[in-house]
Amino acid sequence: DTGVSQNPRHKITKRGQNVTFRCDPISEHNRLYWYRQTLGQGPEFLTYFQNEAQLEKSRLLSDRFSAERPKGSFSTLEIQRTEQGDSAMYLCATRDRMNTEAFFGQGTRLTVV
Amino acid sequence: AQSVSQHNHHVILSEAASLELGCNYSYGGTVNLFWYVQYPGQHLQLLLKYFSGDPLVKGIKGFEAEFIKSKFSFNLRKPSVQWSDTAEYFCAALPSGGSYIPTFGRGTSLIVHP
């Protein structure tokens, strides 16, 4: 157990529905990342928070995607009007202030049918 | 933009064979480098990392990697693989300063036959 917790672990949704994922970081990890991983690919960066501030967003992150990290603790990633192409594993990773390695959660596997 | 390339997408070995997985990064400045492993059904976890100093880095489970700055490479090695090393291996780069975003390669799938 890495200490980074993601919920739910699996989500099946119909196309057009909205979904929300949650990430609870290791305590005192001020940097939080969302990545997306599809079969046969490495994690692709989506967005980055330092404390509560969203500092970077990938061009992969369309306007249907939104992420928040209120109070610099847990984070949520919402996808509106899901499309089949959104089917993927969504990973959360966190790092501490000392610039050490990122710790990953188990991920949320999204299937859009 | 920085990128990370992993040359071997699928590797199949027999137990006791030696392993070398290639990783190249494109970034002109100082960079921190990592190898992560993902065992079937599990989360990504760190194998080893390089920040500075000795370019030969030793990690867990007998893995090591060598940073060659002139070649922009950080190849992963293990002298003798075991069946339990079957997993996906990802190389990642994190520039020092500026963007704090680790960039990952597409991964190498390693299958070790007993």
Side-chain angles (χ1 to χ4, degrees), chain A residues 1-2 9 31 33 35 37 40-45 48 50 56 59 89 91 95 98-107, chain B residues 1 9 32 34 36 38 41-46 49 51 88 90 94-107:
Chain A
D1 184 2
T2 63
R9 293 287 305 277
R31 297 186 170 100
Y33 306 84
Y35 287 85
Q37 186 177 20
Q41 299 296 321
E44 296 176 297
F45 168 73
Y48 160 58
Q50 185 166 317
E56 294 264 357
R59 282 171 288 180
M89 178 74 85
L91 300 171
R95 288 171 58 221
M98 298 302 292
N99 263 359
T100 56
E101 70 272 16
F103 290 82
F104 281 83
Q106 298 269 28
Chain B
H9 298 152
N32 305 314
F34 309 85
Y36 282 83
Q38 188 170 29
Q42 295 190 26
H43 60 271
L44 280 153
Q45 51 190 288
L46 185 73
K49 61 184 178 184
F51 281 82
E88 296 270 345
F90 297 93
L94 173 66
S96 296
S99 165
Y100 292 99
I101 300 165
T103 299
F104 286 80
R106 64 172 290 180

Side-chain angles (χ1 to χ4, degrees), chain A residues 56-67:
Chain A
E56 294 264 357
K57 290 195 294 185
S58 165
R59 282 171 288 180
L60 289 176
L61 212 65
S62 77
D63 56 6
R64 295 184 298 106
F65 287 69
S66 62

Side-chain angles (χ1 to χ4, degrees), chain B residues 52-64:
Chain B
S52 63
D54 189 344
L56 186 61
V57 179
K58 295 192 183 300
I60 61 172
K61 306 187 180 185
F63 286 91
E64 65 178 30

Side-chain angles (χ1 to χ4, degrees), chain B residues 100-114:
Chain B
Y100 292 99
I101 300 165
T103 299
F104 286 80
R106 64 172 290 180
T108 297
S109 172
L110 171 66
I111 296 174
V112 180
H113 289 301

